[in-house]
Amino acid sequence: MAPSAVPMNGQANASDVDLTATAIEHKMEENGATNGHKATYQELDASKLTYTFTKSPQKVPAAGVISFENSSICTDHMLTATWSQKNGWATPELKPYGPFSIMPTASVLHYATECFEGLKAYRGYDGKLRLFRPDCNAQRLLMSSVRISLPSFPPGEVEKLISAFMAVDGPKWLPRERPGSFIYLRPTLIGTQSQLGVQAPAEAMMFIIASYMAEMDSPPGGMKLHTSPADMVRAWAGGFGYAKVGANYGPSLLATSEARARGFGQILWLYGEQGFCTEAGASNFFVVWKNKETGRTELVTAPLGDKIILDGVTRRSVLQLVRERCADEVEVVERQYTIDEVIEAHEEGRIVESFASGTAYFVCPISLIHHRGKDVAIPMGKKNDGGELTTKVKTWLKDIMYGREDHPWAVVVPEEQ
């Protein structure tokens, strides 16, 4: 039976990822889940999760310490589940964190058959452990996997596995005496078939790990962006910019490194001859300005329909909150817009503020955009830490994530004793 294909916002609309039950069923037929193989093919099943606890527990680092000798500090355990085209999903395992083996000819090492998700677990001010909209991440992982010919799975089972993982490692690594802290979760799916050749992998592995990450939403003076070089593009219509695959990131590192060497935090990726604004680094990009004709305040961001940008979980949360709570003051606009429009709004004094959003950068105020020798200075509010809407949205989301506001987006994890 095909897994649920409910859109991440619970409503079907043209901008949602094209992931239908029929498409998934077709994918499962290719993977051997149908056409007479139903008796042997096993679906991913979180209820079968096995536990092998570490005999060498690590020490939790001091608050603020996120790495050691250029390596991320990860929790005591990880969760893995292997898949084969013939038999489907093996029993998922929670086991000690550490290296795993793949062959040098594994598909992921040669053909970029890899996708991943990023989400956080939060230690609330009320002592509870929470995940933020894990259903969205599970749905998007499924979409990304199908896009690069990796296996399908019921996204609800991935949610359960994430929760089970955090129920074990969360109490120790997000201790109650550190309210307001978080840990980063990385569910990943890779092709492991050890046969060279450009083909859909017949073997794969899912794994989930957790590590510490720095807070990146408040760089001193705000984030400074440099527009992308004229000869580089991050994503394109008909490509895979909308999927969270590793192949989206490696090719962007050269431009990012060069921009940082010049004092900028991230690249504002432009697309096409018109210079459409898409993403800020690996984050969604927003501008708040006054509409030239109406004078109305607009929150403007790139659309999902052309599948160039990622359907960010923080992005969709920002848009929904602004629509629900600021409808009288701010109009949400999802459309293509160019860097020239941003420059024009700056020159006419119509830019109000700007920010980027994503799991890593959360909601990060932007203070400057540099484009072809021109600086576009962005207002940063009275306290120079972000404009009014940026600050509101950050506060609303933090209140939900850390339990100060009771909201269905925040999923409480039942912790193991």
Side-chain angles (χ1 to χ4, degrees), residues 45-55 77-80 91-96 157 159-170 413-417:
D45 187 349
S47 71
K48 297 179 180 178
L49 178 64
T50 64
Y51 295 80
T52 302
F53 298 110
T54 183
K55 296 179 180 178
H77 300 95
M78 62 183 182
L79 195 149
T80 65
T91 300
E93 304 174 77
L94 186 141
K95 57 188 179 182
E157 297 306 299
E159 288 183 66
K160 294 173 186 176
L161 291 174
I162 293 171
S163 183
F165 175 37
M166 274 295 95
V168 172
D169 275 8
V413 176
E415 300 175 65
E416 299 288 342
Q417 299 300 318

Side-chain angles (χ1 to χ4, degrees), residues 15 38 41 60 90 119 139 206 243-244 254 373 388-389:
S15 67
K38 290 183 179 179
Y41 188 92
V60 176
L119 68 158
Q139 285 279 355
M206 179 185 294
K244 201 165 181 65
L254 177 60
E388 181 180 354
L389 187 62

Side-chain angles (χ1 to χ4, degrees), residues 4-301:
S4 169
V6 178
M8 288 189 286
N9 61 359
Q11 299 176 349
N13 59 63
S15 67
D16 281 313
V17 173
D18 182 17
L19 183 62
T20 65
T22 301
I24 298 171
E25 185 71 33
H26 177 68
K27 174 67 178 174
M28 292 176 71
E29 289 178 3
E30 292 178 345
N31 291 338
T34 56
N35 290 342
H37 295 289
K38 290 183 179 179
T40 59
Y41 188 92
Q42 299 296 314
E43 193 49 271
L44 184 65
D45 187 349
S47 71
K48 297 179 180 178
L49 178 64
T50 64
Y51 295 80
T52 302
F53 298 110
T54 183
K55 296 179 180 178
S56 302
Q58 302 175 72
K59 183 179 179 181
V60 176
V65 177
I66 63 170
S67 62
F68 178 71
E69 294 183 348
N70 293 321
S71 294
S72 295
I73 296 175
C74 293
T75 63
D76 287 323
H77 300 95
M78 62 183 182
L79 195 149
T80 65
T82 59
W83 171 89
S84 71
Q85 187 179 73
K86 179 180 180 181
N87 298 316
W89 289 95
T91 300
E93 304 174 77
L94 186 141
K95 57 188 179 182
Y97 175 83
F100 48 72
S101 297
I102 58 174
M103 297 302 291
T105 50
S107 172
V108 64
L109 300 178
H110 301 271
Y111 309 113
T113 52
E114 184 266 359
C115 59
F116 65 94
E117 274 301 315
L119 68 158
K120 293 174 181 174
Y122 303 87
R123 176 59 70 188
Y125 291 102
D126 58 356
K128 294 181 180 179
L129 183 65
R130 291 176 173 84
L131 300 169
F132 181 75
R133 308 191 76 176
D135 57 325
C136 296
N137 295 98
Q139 285 279 355
R140 193 171 61 187
L141 184 64
L142 172 61
M143 177 273 295
S144 298
S145 181
V146 170
R147 176 63 180 85
I148 55 175
S149 294
L150 287 173
S152 59
F153 49 82
E157 297 306 299
V158 173
E159 288 183 66
K160 294 173 186 176
L161 291 174
I162 293 171
S163 183
F165 175 37
M166 274 295 95
V168 172
D169 275 8
K172 173 181 174 180
W173 294 86
L174 282 177
R176 292 178 184 272
E177 57 268 25
R178 295 184 189 177
S181 59
F182 65 83
I183 202 162
Y184 182 78
L185 304 176
R186 174 57 64 88
T188 306
L189 193 59
I190 62 174
T192 56
Q193 181 180 351
S194 56
Q195 179 180 357
L196 291 176
V198 182
Q199 59 188 319
E203 297 175 355
M205 177 173 65
M206 179 185 294
F207 63 89
I208 305 172
I209 56 175
S211 69
Y212 287 117
M213 173 182 284
E215 292 189 24
M216 296 187 284
D217 60 283
S218 302
M223 183 190 292
K224 297 179 181 180
L225 303 179
H226 194 297
T227 55
S228 52
D231 61 347
M232 289 190 187
V233 62
R234 189 202 73 87
W236 54 93
F240 46 86
Y242 66 96
K244 201 165 181 65
V245 298
N248 276 329
Y249 297 88
S252 73
L253 299 180
L254 177 60
T256 303
S257 297
E258 292 176 347
R260 287 178 175 169
R262 294 193 291 269
F264 297 89
Q266 286 289 348
I267 292 287
L268 174 56
W269 290 99
L270 306 180
Y271 178 68
E273 293 182 1
Q274 303 94 327
F276 292 119
C277 298
T278 62
E279 295 191 337
S283 302
N284 294 122
F285 174 67
F286 299 80
V287 175
V288 181
W289 64 25
K290 297 288 185 181
N291 183 283
K292 187 173 183 177
E293 282 76 33
T294 67
R296 182 167 171 75
T297 301
E298 295 179 336
L299 174 62
V300 187
T301 193

